[in-house]
Amino acid sequence: MATIIVQPGSARTGRQRVSLTAIAHNRLMLLLILFMAITTILIGRLLWVGVFALGTQGDGTLSPFLPARADIVDRNGVPLARTMDAYSVAVRPSKLIGEPAELARKLHEIFPDEPEAAFYKKLTGRGWAYLRRRAMPEQVAAVNALGEIGIEFPREKERLYPQRTLAAHVLGFAPDSAGVGGMGVEAAFNDRLTDAALRGKPFAISIDARVQGALESELYAQLVAQRAKGAGGIILDANTGEVVAMASIPVFDPNKLQNYAGKSCGESPLCNHMVQARYELGSAFKPLSIAAAMDSGVVTSMSKRYDATAPLAVAGFHIKDDHALGRWVNVPEILVHSSNIGTARIADEMGAAPLQKLFRSLDFDQRAPIELKERAGTLWPVNWGRITTMTVSYGHGIAVTPLHLASAYAALVNGGTWRPATLRKLNADEVPEGRRVFSAATSARMRQLLRMIVAAGTGRSADAKGFRVGGKTGSAEKPEAGRYNKSSLVTTFASAFPMDNPRYVVVVIMDEATGAFGLRTAAWTASPVAKRVVERVGPMLGVMPDERRDVDISDLMPLLWKPKGEAE
């Protein structure tokens, strides 16, 4: 029998076990230190790229932590334009497994505003194509349920306008959220909106979304009621030049842009008529002209009378009044009854130079000074002869934009200082000093006269109780083929409130309003809109109605002629 002898190995001592444990522990600690070092480096790098590198980035460099374009908000922080991750629907025709005609029909059911034929064309095309940009999540889910592998759902940065058509002409649009804005604020402030250092901070503009909504609502209601071609309005801070609301109808939805190439401003909904269209604004010019006569020393007394007994014949033309008074009239009566003859006689006595000086100081000879790039020039008379001086004084023969008129009325009532209009929300220390265009005394007198027009004249339909509105109507025939079209009127009401301490200017324009029972003048078409707008927006802007307060016009009211036997 064989015996196997196994030599026993030496037993592992306790010291050896401790040594192995220490080695393992040291290795783990080394790995942990390396892991922490790598993590620290990565975090540091991310912080450098995300924070510190922003200061050295050019405007074209996009940070992954910031939107490609800053949000736009109203003066109270309400979002008006935002850059968001949006759903899109696209197709690769080469990968489709279904029948294109059937898919086109189903897609049309999901997106009824897109023709079935348009979908079919894309489904049978040669290359990748969008089926829908900015699709809603529920629409994406419905398309996904079709089970078509050739349809994709890319997520892209899109510029969205959550208030839809609200203030569309002011905001404009940005076809590419990282590119250049197409119009409006998006174009005017493109550098600010794409500045790498400022993209994370919303850009606050002067518009108040609540006031804007009220203005648009009232304008649209009147446009429908009067069957007008168009309508527009501006609400301007009389003391800072900030545009609180600006509306032009027809409107467009910047979320659903259409191709309006080749269409004129009058035909395209993209046209902002408040800055892109120029009008002869008629009698709304009369207060400006009379204020110029007061400052030039031509009108020194409100009781001074002018002959309006018959049409005024000048160089083969006859200046008439729409509602002939057939008597001599004083200054308050000229404005209260809107006399062309009386205004023309004052302008004739004053001469062209003072009127030109005033209109140039109001920038009536150049584009309105506001940040918007889309602005129309004015129609400035080439020859300022005697007849031109007379007709221009009551708003014919010169054409400006409604924004020009709003800024002029702000200067007329705020103490005499003209300031450029702006779409920036201004801090108190940012309000421009402006330039004096009327004396303080003339401005104070004009506040009385404008209040009289609303209290006792052509502007009575704008008398919002307790808001002390003052303003002037204007109804002007539109020029057409070298003559004036008597059936085509632009009606205007330029106003301010509260007139005892003017804070806001309100200008309303109605383009070719049909009117009721043939009543198409501003007193029937534009003034009532201003009244309703003031009643709605006054409290929003901190102006509460108070029928215990008003402008003191007691020294002027006795100058208004009354028929014999009528009580004083």
Side-chain angles (χ1 to χ4, degrees), residues 11 32 39 74 117 154 163 198 203 249 281 312 317 349 370 375-376 382 386 443 460 479 483 492 503 512 529-530:
L32 181 59
T39 302
D74 85 334
Q163 312 301 333
L198 297 173
F203 178 49
I249 300 175
L281 294 170
L312 178 58
F317 294 91
E349 183 180 346
I370 193 172
R375 295 168 293 149
V382 176
R386 185 184 179 200
S443 179
R460 285 190 295 268
R483 62 181 182 83
T492 307
R503 292 182 56 188
E512 296 188 23
V529 181

Side-chain angles (χ1 to χ4, degrees), residues 13-26:
T13 65
R15 180 175 295 178
Q16 289 176 316
R17 286 196 298 271
V18 171
S19 178
L20 291 174
T21 301
I23 292 171
H25 179 268
N26 289 338

Side-chain angles (χ1 to χ4, degrees), residues 36-307:
M36 291 178 65
I38 294 172
T39 302
T40 301
I41 292 172
L42 290 174
I43 292 175
R45 180 58 180 167
L46 289 173
L47 287 173
W48 175 264
V49 172
V51 180
F52 299 105
L54 282 177
T56 60
Q57 286 180 349
D59 288 345
T61 306
L62 301 182
S63 167
F65 302 103
L66 293 175
R69 198 175 189 86
D71 290 351
I72 301 173
V73 298
D74 85 334
R75 62 186 308 110
N76 300 311
V78 175
L80 300 176
R82 307 188 71 177
T83 300
M84 303 174 66
D85 284 329
Y87 287 96
S88 296
V89 181
V91 63
R92 294 187 185 275
S94 60
K95 292 187 176 182
L96 290 176
I97 58 175
E99 175 60 37
E102 179 65 13
L103 282 173
R105 183 185 65 79
K106 293 179 179 178
L107 288 169
H108 174 65
E109 292 176 356
I110 299 171
F111 307 107
D113 58 332
E114 185 81 10
E116 186 175 327
F119 283 123
Y120 183 79
K121 183 178 180 179
K122 294 176 181 178
L123 292 169
T124 56
R126 293 186 176 182
W128 187 92
Y130 282 108
L131 294 173
R132 187 73 168 195
R133 304 288 297 270
R134 300 174 179 171
M136 299 297 291
E138 56 269 24
Q139 293 173 325
V140 172
V143 175
N144 188 47
L146 298 178
E148 177 56 65
I149 63 172
I151 294 179
E152 302 174 353
F153 306 97
R155 295 291 300 272
E156 300 174 331
K157 296 289 183 183
E158 293 284 352
R159 194 64 164 172
L160 300 178
Y161 302 87
Q163 312 301 333
R164 301 183 65 186
T165 61
L166 184 76
H169 292 95
V170 174
L171 294 172
F173 56 86
D176 180 354
S177 63
V180 178
M183 62 174 279
V185 169
E186 293 280 26
F189 297 97
N190 187 75
D191 290 345
R192 159 61 179 86
L193 295 169
T194 57
D195 189 327
L198 297 173
R199 292 199 311 267
K201 181 180 179 181
F203 178 49
I205 61 175
S206 60
I207 296 296
D208 186 317
R210 305 166 304 166
V211 176
Q212 180 76 27
L215 177 62
E216 291 185 9
S217 171
E218 294 298 342
L219 285 172
Y220 184 75
Q222 187 75 339
L223 178 138
V224 172
Q226 297 284 336
R227 300 188 298 280
K229 177 181 178 182
I234 299 170
I235 299 178
L236 188 74
D237 189 309
N239 299 300
T240 67
E242 292 170 282
V243 177
V244 182
M246 178 188 289
S248 180
I249 300 175
V251 299
F252 69 97
D253 186 344
N255 295 299
K256 299 178 181 179
L257 289 176
Q258 299 180 34
N259 184 9
Y260 298 107
K263 292 190 176 183
S264 66
C265 183
E267 299 172 331
S268 172
L270 295 180
C271 180
N272 182 353
H273 289 81
M274 298 301 97
V275 293
Q276 288 182 265
R278 60 190 184 190
Y279 302 96
E280 294 187 12
L281 294 170
S283 297
F285 266 47
K286 290 174 182 174
L288 303 175
S289 302
I290 289 178
M294 292 168 63
D295 275 337
S296 65
V298 172
V299 172
T300 57
S301 171
M302 292 292 100
S303 60
K304 184 176 179 179
R305 303 175 74 81
Y306 299 86
D307 184 4

Side-chain angles (χ1 to χ4, degrees), residues 508-519:
V508 172
I509 301 280
M510 298 299 295
D511 187 2
E512 296 188 23
T514 303
F517 307 106
L519 302 173

